[in-house]
């Protein structure tokens, strides 16, 4: 694949409105969502159309819940399971968009970011006449929660090494290191679906979760196999989906980040904690125009 636009040091938005309909993974409720073009400097903003386009900016300050999905809340208005659409926009280096929804949860679609990526690339990405700003990590940081670990060190690009461990013969331990750019994201991360284990379904449903879950939108593991008749999309689909989720959560920094991350057994809560830790001290980062960094490197 070629780069989706020629000047990545400039901000971008979607070229046309893109509408998606489906159900919420956890609520099971029908929802229609439209990704709309937005001017430079807007950022990513969710709008509840049934509440007069009430805006909820996709920022760490609005994170409300990180149990099994990432939810945002502003003035009591909630929008849930935002990570896949945020991941798609982040992975394709789209800085600005309005995301209009008519219910409280983003549609799960097929459980991956591929439907978003395919439609965005087909509809086109529009370059805007304003420089992209990036958040550059200045010093090493680490967050731990029990055996869950995430760290970041300074880098001139975004790289992630992710490691997972599950007590299942088809997963066991997986680790992947990659540099994130639009081509890699679209081909190697976006198609990878959320996953879960049959043994956990009863507990999740008892807690009001995964009401919309099915083999159409998730990889489900039986005790010694996989229930999906078509199997995996990639042999290491699980670790790739974890990186997809990570990018959706790191998007809540509000701009692209330059840093090298390492995560082990992490999840939405640990990702969100690292984002908050980065932002907690201005000595941790610098906000710079990407064009100036490109010029300095050339």
């Amino acid at each position: 694949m070629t780069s989706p636009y020629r000047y990545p040091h400039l901000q971008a938005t979607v070229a046309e409105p893109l509408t998606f309909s489906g159900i919420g993974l956890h609520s099971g409720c029908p929802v229609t969502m439209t990704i709309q073009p937005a001017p430079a400097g807007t950022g990513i903003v969710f709008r509840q159309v049934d509440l007069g386009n009430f805006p909820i900016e996709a920022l760490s300050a609005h994170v409300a819940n990180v149990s099994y999905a990432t939810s945002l809340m502003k003035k009591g208005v909630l929008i849930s399971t935002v990570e896949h659409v945020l991941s798609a926009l982040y992975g394709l280096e789209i800085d600005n968009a309005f995301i209009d929804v008519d219910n409280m949860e983003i549609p799960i679609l097929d459980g991956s970011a591929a439907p978003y990526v395919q439609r965005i690339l087909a509809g086109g990405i529009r370059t805007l006449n304003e420089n992209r700003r990036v958040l550059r990590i200045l010093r090493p940081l680490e967050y731990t929660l029990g055996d869950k670990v995430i760290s970041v060190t300074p880098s001139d690009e975004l790289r992630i090494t992710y490691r997972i461990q599950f007590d299942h013969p088809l997963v066991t331990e997986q680790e992947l290191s990659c540099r994130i750019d639009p081509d890699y994201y679209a081909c190697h991360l976006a198609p990878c679906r959320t996953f879960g284990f049959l043994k956990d379904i009863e507990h999740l449903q008892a807690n009001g979760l995964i009401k919309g879950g099915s083999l159409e939108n998730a990889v489900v593991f039986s005790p010694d196999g996989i229930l999906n008749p078509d199997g995996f999309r990639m042999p290491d689909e699980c670790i790739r989906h974890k990186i997809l989720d990570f990018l959706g959560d790191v998007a809540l920094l509000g701009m692209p980040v330059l840093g090298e991350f390492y995560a082990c057994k992490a999840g939405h809560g640990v990702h969100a904690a690292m984002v908050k830790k980065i932002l907690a001290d201005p000595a941790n980062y610098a906000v710079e125009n990407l064009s100036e960094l490109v010029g300095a490197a050339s």
Side-chain angles (χ1 to χ4, degrees):
M1 296 178 61
T2 58
S3 180
Y5 55 93
R6 293 180 57 196
Y7 304 108
H9 65 280
L10 295 176
Q11 291 187 30
T13 188
V14 293
E16 62 185 28
L18 303 167
T19 298
F20 304 84
S21 295
I23 61 170
L25 173 63
H26 294 297
S27 68
C29 295
V31 57
T32 297
M33 180 192 82
T34 301
I35 304 175
Q36 304 272 12
T42 300
I44 308 300
V45 181
F46 292 91
R47 300 191 299 194
Q48 286 278 10
V49 298
D50 53 334
L51 296 175
N53 282 345
F54 182 85
I56 306 176
E57 296 81 7
L59 297 172
S60 173
H62 298 316
V63 171
N65 193 308
V66 286
S67 297
Y68 302 103
T70 298
S71 300
L72 306 176
M73 181 181 285
K74 181 180 174 183
K75 295 183 178 179
V77 178
L78 181 72
I79 182 73
S80 299
T81 319
V82 299
E83 59 269 20
H84 294 176
V85 66
L86 288 180
S87 181
L89 295 171
Y90 191 91
L92 295 180
E93 297 183 348
I94 294 172
D95 310 275
N96 307 287
F98 295 114
I99 304 177
D100 296 342
V101 293
D102 65 359
N103 215 318
M104 64 179 290
E105 189 176 14
I106 300 301
I108 190 61
L109 304 180
D110 74 345
S112 78
Y116 299 124
V117 168
Q118 292 162 4
R119 292 281 305 281
I120 290 168
L121 293 179
I125 296 173
R126 180 157 57 91
T127 302
L128 302 170
N129 191 27
E130 188 167 323
N131 285 321
R132 300 185 85 207
R133 296 192 310 158
V134 295
L135 187 152
R136 184 163 60 88
I137 299 297
L138 296 181
R139 59 185 184 182
L141 298 168
E142 183 176 281
Y143 175 84
T144 61
L145 181 65
D147 62 350
K148 305 175 189 295
V149 178
I150 188 167
S151 63
V152 64
T153 54
S155 176
D156 292 331
E157 58 188 2
L158 174 56
R159 296 192 65 89
I160 173 69
T161 297
Y162 213 111
R163 186 167 183 260
I164 58 174
Q165 290 180 295
F166 288 98
D167 184 18
H168 192 280
L170 296 185
V171 187
T172 59
E173 297 185 11
Q174 294 182 2
E175 181 172 304
L176 179 66
S177 297
C178 55
R179 174 185 179 275
I180 304 301
D181 61 44
D183 293 346
Y184 185 89
Y185 182 87
C187 294
H188 301 290
L189 299 178
C192 298
R193 298 160 293 175
T194 192
F195 63 93
F197 298 88
L198 188 61
K199 64 182 178 61
D200 298 327
I201 288 178
E202 185 175 342
H203 170 74
L204 292 170
Q205 291 177 335
N207 285 274
L209 299 171
I210 63 166
K211 295 178 181 177
S214 73
L215 297 181
E216 299 298 318
N217 54 41
V219 175
V220 180
F221 292 97
S222 64
D224 57 0
I226 180 174
L227 296 183
N228 304 68
D230 294 334
F232 294 115
R233 291 179 176 175
M234 298 181 189
D236 56 352
E237 186 170 359
C238 293
I239 187 67
R240 292 176 186 272
H241 183 81
K242 282 290 190 178
I243 296 176
L244 183 159
D245 275 349
F246 164 79
L247 293 172
D249 292 333
V250 84
L252 296 169
L253 285 167
M255 65 188 74
V257 59
L258 302 181
E260 183 163 356
F261 289 83
Y262 172 78
C264 180
K265 299 183 181 180
H268 295 299
V270 174
H271 303 161
M274 174 54 80
V275 169
K276 288 184 181 295
K277 186 164 188 173
I278 291 170
L279 296 175
D281 187 343
N284 292 335
Y285 62 91
V287 176
E288 301 172 342
N289 282 334
L290 187 57
S291 61
E292 295 173 1
L293 292 177
V294 171
S298 62

